């Protein structure tokens, strides 16, 4: 295009559209400097001034017609993995688009700071028993990708992380099995006006930095888009016994759109069907869940624990604070006997702990629990909601580390909740009464002087009346070996729900006045 024609063309564009087009044209220009986070952020800022993208072209009919098993029969050929020929410490394989992963993402490789798009090639896939017209699928794109590295053994590259669908991703530490997922961003998970559904932003483009020989971490960038938001992300993935994803994000709300009711940052998504606090008599497995509780460390130094549940109706809880020091959906039950599932191995599912970098300011951790009939549906979400939303075009910057933890999960240094059990024992409960057995364990309890009993501090809101709260040590044969004083204590708690049509909020911890010895157990008795 000649210079004078280009000038007339640009003057005809609105200022906002011009900025967006200029940023996108920049992808085609030679790179004067190494591509990085600021380049993705510039694209996100420009797109935030432009209208939301139109709906993507539909899948080819032959792919749309494939059922779940037929789509699973399409497998990426490992020998064609990105970086396998070079013998690098990380390799990348791609997912084929289909009915259950319909959206295409653009994937680029960064070599010496210069991007090269990795196009779709049907020769990369084994289509199994499917007979499909792959020659007609030029430009089909990828549904997502997975990264492999020597996680569990030096002579085999295991899956480390998967990016697939919307802004979902999940990772593994050593010896773990896939469980809960993380997301880039959540919008209007709760609080949206009646009739308005949750908005699911998605990663539309990725840039993977080619690792050096012997590299111990992998860096990649992602562009996020949705109807009302855009964003730039940088991920640094470090595999290990606890694998860590260091995340940097810059988010923008789109101009000319209605502000979201809720912006959920560093969101986590998990599954809870039943557990010791909510047994299911028709299942031979004592517990079925990817996570059993929400853990929070507030800026004020308090640790909170909220056991998860499979509620009869959607149940949302908020934990307000001036700044968070961490939160996560945790799998504290690590013994196989808790689950007795040789296939799913819920005892090996990771916990995910969000560690903020810098001061996130005031806001709240929000927990959403939805009813689920089985273990195939994720029904738990947790995320950070800032008190103030950015104005359209104003950047919201965020950094955090996401720890995928196994046996060595994040816990308070004093003492923590080991289990929560609910229901009657021998004696029948009175009308609208609820009984709990809450076990605490930790070094602060073991350090108590001999014969000292901690004080049980229990509070209920106006709709709850505490009838009994008694702390006592578990018998000696149930104590960990080598402790001076009992390290495991049980809190027996009985509460009356004054009005069963309204919920009850409970808090409890053990204290050696004036110091708290344990984290704070929190629970909500739902309305009937």
């Amino acid at each position: 295009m000649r210079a004078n024609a280009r000038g007339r063309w640009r003057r005809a564009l609105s200022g906002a559209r011009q900025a967006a087009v200029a940023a996108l044209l920049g992808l085609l220009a030679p790179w004067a400097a190494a591509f990085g986070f600021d380049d993705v952020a510039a694209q996100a800022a420009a797109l935030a001034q432009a209208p939301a993208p139109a709906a993507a072209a539909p899948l080819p009919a032959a792919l749309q017609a494939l059922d779940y098993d037929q789509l699973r029969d399409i497998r990426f050929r490992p020998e064609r993995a990105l970086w396998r020929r070079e013998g690098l410490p990380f390799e990348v394989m791609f997912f084929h688009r289909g009915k259950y992963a319909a959206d295409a993402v653009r994937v680029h490789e960064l070599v010496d700071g210069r991007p090269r798009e990795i196009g779709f090639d049907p020769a990369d896939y084994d289509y199994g028993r499917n007979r499909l017209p792959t020659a007609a699928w030029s430009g089909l794109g990828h549904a997502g990708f997975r990264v492999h590295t020597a996680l569990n053994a030096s002579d085999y590259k295991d899956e480390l992380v998967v990016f697939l669908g919307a802004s979902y991703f999940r990772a593994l530490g050593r010896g773990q099995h896939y469980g809960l997922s993380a997301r880039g961003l959540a919008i209007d998970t709760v609080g949206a006006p009646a009739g308005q559904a949750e908005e699911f932003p998605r990663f539309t483009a990725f840039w993977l930095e080619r690792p050096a020989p012997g590299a111990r971490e992998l860096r990649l960038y992602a562009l996020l888009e949705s109807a009302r938001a855009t964003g730039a992300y940088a991920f640094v993935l470090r595999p290990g016994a606890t694998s860590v994803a260091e995340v940097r994000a810059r988010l923008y709300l789109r101009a000319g759109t209605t502000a979201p009711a809720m912006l959920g940052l560093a969101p986590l998504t998990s599954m809870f069907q039943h557990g010791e606090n909510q047994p299911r008599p028709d299942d031979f497995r004592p517990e079925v869940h990817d996570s059993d509780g929400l853990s929070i460390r507030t800026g004020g130094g308090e640790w909170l624990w909220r056991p998860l549940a499979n509620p009869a109706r959607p149940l949302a809880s908020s934990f307000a604070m001036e700044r968070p020091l961490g939160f996560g959906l945790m799998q504290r039950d690590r013994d196989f006997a808790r689950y007795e599932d040789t296939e799913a191995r819920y005892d090996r599912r990771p916990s995910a702990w969000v560690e903020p970098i810098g001061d996130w300011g005031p806001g709240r951790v929000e927990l959403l629990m939805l009813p689920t009939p089985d273990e195939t549906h994720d029904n738990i979400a947790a995320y950070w909601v800032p008190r103030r939303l950015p104005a359209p075009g104003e950047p919201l910057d965020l950094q955090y580390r996401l720890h995928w933890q196994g046996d060595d999960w994040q816990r308070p240094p004093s003492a923590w909740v080991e289990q929560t059990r609910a229901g009657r024992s021998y004696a029948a409960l009175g009308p609208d009464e609820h009984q709990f057995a809450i076990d605490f364990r930790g070094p602060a309890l073991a350090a108590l002087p001999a014969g000292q009993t901690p004080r049980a501090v229990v509070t209920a809101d106006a709709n709850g009346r505490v009838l009994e709260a008694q702390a006592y040590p578990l018998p000696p044969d149930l104590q960990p070996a080598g402790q001076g004083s009992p390290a495991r204590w049980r809190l027996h708690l009985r509460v009356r729900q004054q009005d069963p049509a309204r919920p009850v909020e409970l808090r409890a911890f053990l204290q050696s006045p004036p110091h708290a010895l344990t984290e704070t157990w929190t629970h909500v008795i739902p309305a009937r």
Side-chain angles (χ1 to χ4, degrees):
M1 184 180 290
R2 293 181 300 179
N4 59 349
R6 186 186 303 116
R8 289 195 301 272
W9 174 66
R10 289 195 172 185
R11 284 193 296 274
L13 294 171
S14 68
R17 191 66 183 168
Q18 185 179 128
V21 172
L24 294 176
L25 285 176
L27 285 172
L28 306 177
W31 294 97
F35 184 91
F37 177 80
D38 289 339
D39 298 282
V40 185
Q43 293 183 50
L47 289 168
Q49 300 302 317
L59 276 173
L63 280 175
Q64 184 65 37
L66 296 181
D67 62 25
Y68 178 78
D69 290 327
Q70 290 172 320
L71 186 59
R72 285 195 64 183
D73 210 22
I74 302 176
R75 295 179 174 87
F76 192 87
R77 299 181 185 275
E79 67 273 14
R80 297 178 70 92
L82 181 66
W83 304 325
R84 171 163 287 203
R85 288 183 181 179
E86 294 85 352
L88 297 179
F90 296 90
E91 296 177 359
V92 179
M93 303 185 198
F94 299 94
F95 291 99
H96 204 287
R97 293 178 65 196
K99 182 188 300 185
Y100 305 102
D103 293 325
V105 297
R106 304 190 315 275
V107 184
H108 310 77
E109 180 190 17
L110 290 174
V111 182
D112 297 326
R114 296 176 179 270
R116 174 188 70 86
E117 185 162 0
I118 303 170
F120 169 79
D121 185 348
D124 290 338
Y125 293 91
D126 178 351
Y127 287 86
R129 292 163 293 178
N130 297 300
R131 297 294 176 262
L132 299 168
T134 59
W137 293 348
S138 176
L140 182 68
H142 309 284
F145 63 92
R146 60 183 187 260
V147 176
H148 294 241
T149 194
L151 183 63
N152 296 302
S154 59
D155 59 348
Y156 183 81
K157 289 186 172 65
D158 301 282
E159 285 189 32
L160 171 66
V161 65
V162 168
F163 288 84
L164 180 64
S167 66
Y168 286 91
F169 62 99
R170 57 182 183 169
L172 293 169
R174 193 171 300 132
Q176 298 170 17
H177 289 222
Y178 277 131
L180 79 169
S181 300
R183 284 195 271 172
L185 183 65
I187 296 179
D188 286 355
T189 305
V190 297
Q196 184 172 310
E198 178 182 357
E199 184 174 319
F200 286 89
R202 73 182 192 93
F203 292 130
T204 57
F206 291 92
W207 292 263
L208 314 176
E209 204 170 90
R210 178 182 285 192
R216 296 185 178 182
E217 63 183 35
L218 179 68
R219 185 180 301 270
L220 60 96
Y221 307 96
L223 177 67
L224 178 138
E225 297 185 68
S226 76
R228 290 180 289 170
T230 65
Y233 286 75
F235 297 89
V236 181
L237 307 173
R238 301 187 180 98
T242 291
S243 290
V244 178
E246 190 161 313
V247 185
R248 179 186 179 190
R250 182 170 298 160
L251 302 169
Y252 298 90
L253 296 181
R254 281 192 189 272
T257 62
T258 304
M262 183 280 296
L263 205 61
L265 308 179
L268 304 172
T269 301
S270 193
M271 180 276 296
F272 182 95
Q273 185 190 24
H274 66 272
E276 80 254 351
N277 59 320
Q278 193 178 12
R280 182 168 172 167
D282 62 344
D283 197 320
F284 78 88
R285 299 167 298 177
E287 303 184 38
V288 172
H289 50 72
D290 286 336
S291 308
D292 56 5
L294 169 68
S295 180
I296 301 172
R297 185 185 180 193
T298 74
E302 186 179 24
W303 288 80
L304 305 174
W305 175 254
R306 169 62 61 89
L308 299 181
N310 184 357
R313 292 179 296 276
L315 185 61
S317 302
S318 292
F319 304 86
M321 63 199 74
E322 290 305 305
R323 63 178 293 223
L325 293 183
F327 69 92
L329 291 175
M330 315 303 288
Q331 186 77 318
R332 286 187 172 179
D333 290 343
R334 310 304 301 181
D335 295 333
F336 173 77
R338 295 275 194 161
Y339 307 96
E340 295 293 344
D341 193 321
T342 57
E343 182 179 2
R345 292 307 303 268
Y346 290 108
D347 55 305
R348 306 313 303 162
R349 303 291 173 104
S351 300
W353 179 256
V354 176
E355 176 197 356
I357 298 175
D359 187 351
W360 283 11
R364 66 185 189 269
V365 174
E366 195 161 80
L367 172 67
L368 175 64
M369 299 187 288
L370 303 172
T372 182
D374 56 48
E375 62 207 272
T376 65
H377 297 82
D378 283 345
N379 64 321
I380 305 294
Y383 39 82
W384 174 254
V385 181
R387 186 176 296 173
R388 188 185 76 86
L389 289 177
E394 176 190 354
L396 190 162
D397 284 288
L398 187 75
Q399 286 185 266
Y400 58 97
R401 295 182 187 93
L402 185 52
H403 303 259
W404 301 86
Q405 301 172 336
D407 293 336
D408 189 17
W409 42 266
Q410 195 78 23
R411 70 192 82 193
S414 53
W416 52 90
V417 176
E418 193 171 41
Q419 68 170 341
T420 300
R421 294 186 177 272
R424 60 165 290 176
S425 53
Y426 173 75
L429 296 174
D432 301 317
E433 286 186 6
H434 302 265
Q435 182 171 267
F436 303 93
I438 307 152
D439 287 356
F440 294 92
R441 174 177 178 171
L445 294 171
L448 284 172
Q452 181 175 330
T453 297
R455 177 188 172 203
V457 180
V458 180
T459 56
D461 64 18
N463 194 41
R465 181 184 173 194
V466 178
L467 304 176
E468 185 181 358
Q470 180 186 1
Y472 56 89
L474 294 184
D477 61 317
L478 299 179
Q479 297 291 342
Q483 301 287 344
S485 293
R488 299 180 68 195
W489 289 73
R490 174 162 293 183
L491 171 58
H492 177 81
L493 176 62
R494 192 161 53 92
V495 179
R496 176 178 294 131
Q497 189 173 12
Q498 307 283 59
D499 179 0
R502 294 189 293 123
V504 177
E505 284 278 353
L506 297 170
R507 289 167 56 93
F509 62 93
L510 301 184
Q511 181 191 56
S512 177
H515 304 293
L517 296 171
T518 70
E519 67 183 354
T520 300
W521 173 86
T522 76
H523 183 73
V524 59
I525 301 173
R528 294 183 188 173

